[in-house]
Amino acid sequence: MPIKNRLANLHDEIAAWRQDIHRNPELLFDTHRTSALVAEKLKAFGCDQVVTGIGRTGVVGVIRGKSVASGLTVGLRADMDALPIQEATGLDYASETDGKMHACGHDGHTAMLLGASRYLAETRNFDGTAVVIFQPAEEGGGGGREMVDDGMMDQFGISEVYGLHNMPGLAPGTFAIRSGSFFAAADQFTIDVSGKGGHAAKPHEAVDTTVVASQIVIALQSIASRNVDPLHSVVVSVCSFRTGTDAYNVIPESARLKGTVRTLDEGIRDLAERRVGEIAAATAEVFGATATTGYERGYPVMVNAEAETGFAARVAERVSGKETAEAPPLMGAEDFSYMLESRPGSYILIGNGDSAPVHNPGYNFNDEIIPAGASYWAELVETRMPAG
């Protein structure tokens, strides 16, 4: 029985929760309405304990099985925050807040885990403890780190932890996973270029920071093409280029570049950080300018533990009735990495079908995958901590 009958029967209700969250998106740690909704429902489901305010606005629910003799406590995590994007779906439940939308499916993740929480609280057909984790600020705020730093793993005795994300382009309700490095580390840099401003008609009297910064943008691409083994991965993207003027006839005295570096290996991460600064400074010097680099490390590489990944893949196969695909390494970042640094576990992808990509104004979570996603969570708990 791949899909739990109870969760299939709850499909419309869970979808309604999802659409309500979609209609009311909240960013980063400001998930006050969503967090309150989650806490209210967990209490109504009869969870043994509901704790709010972990990681600022995170919510944790504790559900004990019919027995706890196994001594195991399994954590299940969903993210709750939206993105600063203007929605363009035309849905009747589209975002009611300008400039904010659930463009990554966190509304669906939260709803599926709520559905699984209700099922687990009703049935308790397992030997151990399930801890359901609703996390804010995945989209750049590091909410996973905040919850770990608040002592969540020790406070609730979590033995291992699992995460899930939808994947557009993957068949609905099917799964994909990989062991080892899965999602990339995400760092960011700022390069400030200083030169000599002047009249655009007399460039020889100036040190043109627009030209210098442009050369730096191109030179940074040599990190991937000439500094890193072609069999390894690195992405260096300059995403913002601003000068100190917007005039048509003024050579600017300053320019600022902002960008991101993505890596799947700590050694390459160190190399990329060093080379960004070296290339910026040396390129600027050639043109008689100076460049100062600020480099900030963000989410670490997300690494799936081998044993837990194999287990999660088998559970997913039981739910979907199909073989769990091997996912490729992805250069996107995921702050579930902090939880996997703290405890063994794994992160899996569930197919969202033929939808717009995530972080796109036309994206929408596919409600048809709700029974499969919620059943995955329930099956994972019941299989990892079997009753009796």
Side-chain angles (χ1 to χ4, degrees):
M1 189 165 55
I3 302 296
K4 306 288 185 186
N5 286 340
R6 175 61 171 147
L7 290 169
N9 292 335
L10 287 170
H11 187 179
D12 289 346
E13 187 173 357
I14 299 171
W17 303 340
R18 199 282 292 185
Q19 293 173 17
D20 175 68
I21 295 169
H22 187 95
R23 192 179 289 113
N24 298 279
E26 297 171 302
L27 304 183
L28 296 173
F29 291 100
D30 292 329
T31 58
H32 302 290
R33 181 187 186 278
T34 308
S35 298
L37 181 149
V38 166
E40 178 185 356
K41 290 195 177 300
L42 293 178
K43 291 173 183 176
F45 299 160
C47 290
D48 297 291
Q49 187 179 5
V50 178
V51 181
T52 60
I54 298 178
R56 303 195 210 180
T57 48
V59 181
V60 173
V62 177
I63 307 167
R64 298 186 183 91
K66 291 178 179 177
S67 64
V68 292
S70 71
L72 287 175
T73 299
V74 173
L76 314 175
R77 174 271 206 173
D79 34 21
M80 299 187 292
D81 58 322
L83 283 158
I85 294 175
Q86 184 66 39
E87 183 161 355
T89 62
L91 295 165
D92 58 3
Y93 55 84
S95 170
E96 296 178 353
T97 305
D98 284 344
K100 300 178 185 179
M101 76 168 286
H102 272 288
C104 203
H106 297 184
D107 50 345
H109 303 164
T110 296
M112 290 190 295
L113 187 54
L114 280 174
S117 300
R118 180 168 176 177
Y119 169 88
L120 292 169
E122 288 175 353
T123 60
R124 300 183 185 261
N125 189 33
F126 57 96
D127 175 19
T129 303
V131 174
V132 289
I133 302 163
F134 295 86
Q135 180 208 304
E138 190 281 323
E139 298 290 0
R145 178 185 58 228
E146 296 275 347
M147 295 190 85
V148 171
D149 288 350
D150 268 0
M152 176 183 69
M153 297 298 186
D154 291 333
Q155 179 178 347
F156 298 101
I158 296 171
S159 313
E160 51 201 64
V161 65
Y162 297 86
L164 175 150
H165 202 290
N166 76 94
M167 176 57 69
L170 188 65
T174 64
F175 296 85
I177 199 170
R178 74 176 292 106
S179 182
S181 297
F182 194 176
F183 279 56
D187 302 334
Q188 60 189 39
F189 61 85
T190 302
I191 300 172
D192 286 303
V193 181
S194 298
K196 181 182 178 182
H199 197 293
K202 299 180 180 181
H204 59 290
E205 295 179 357
V207 177
D208 191 340
T209 54
T210 302
V211 171
V212 176
S214 298
Q215 295 294 329
I216 291 172
V217 172
I218 300 302
L220 288 175
Q221 300 313 306
S222 67
I223 296 172
S225 66
R226 289 298 178 266
N227 295 148
V228 173
D229 186 327
L231 298 179
H232 294 284
S233 300
V234 62
V235 172
V236 181
S237 293
V238 177
C239 302
S240 176
F241 189 134
R242 295 186 179 182
T243 65
T245 179
D246 61 357
Y248 288 101
N249 61 350
V250 176
I251 291 175
E253 184 127 329
S254 63
R256 169 170 281 192
L257 304 175
K258 291 183 178 181
T260 185
V261 175
R262 306 297 176 103
T263 54
L264 290 162
D265 175 273
E266 282 299 314
I268 295 174
R269 191 182 196 186
D270 294 338
L271 169 67
E273 178 177 357
R274 186 181 78 249
R275 290 299 290 149
V276 167
E278 290 173 347
I279 288 170
T283 304
E285 184 179 4
V286 167
F287 290 91
T290 60
T292 303
T293 300
Y295 196 100
E296 182 180 351
R297 293 202 171 197
Y299 296 172
V301 178
M302 190 185 74
V303 182
N304 273 351
E306 184 176 0
E308 285 74 15
T309 298
F311 165 69
R314 292 190 295 274
V315 170
E317 287 171 1
R318 292 176 63 173
V319 171
S320 69
K322 298 180 180 179
E323 183 177 357
T324 301
E326 169 126 6
L330 299 173
M331 300 311 285
E334 169 56 69
D335 82 339
F336 188 62
S337 54
Y338 293 108
M339 296 191 188
L340 289 179
E341 284 186 334
S342 180
R343 292 293 188 274
S346 73
Y347 188 83
I348 198 167
L349 304 175
I350 181 171
N352 199 56
D354 186 20
S355 71
V358 295
H359 293 224
N360 181 287
Y363 168 85
N364 189 36
F365 181 85
N366 184 353
D367 283 337
E368 293 307 308
I369 71 172
I370 285 174
S375 292
Y376 167 76
W377 285 132
E379 185 71 15
L380 190 148
V381 168
E382 292 176 348
T383 304
R384 185 68 183 92
M385 302 181 290

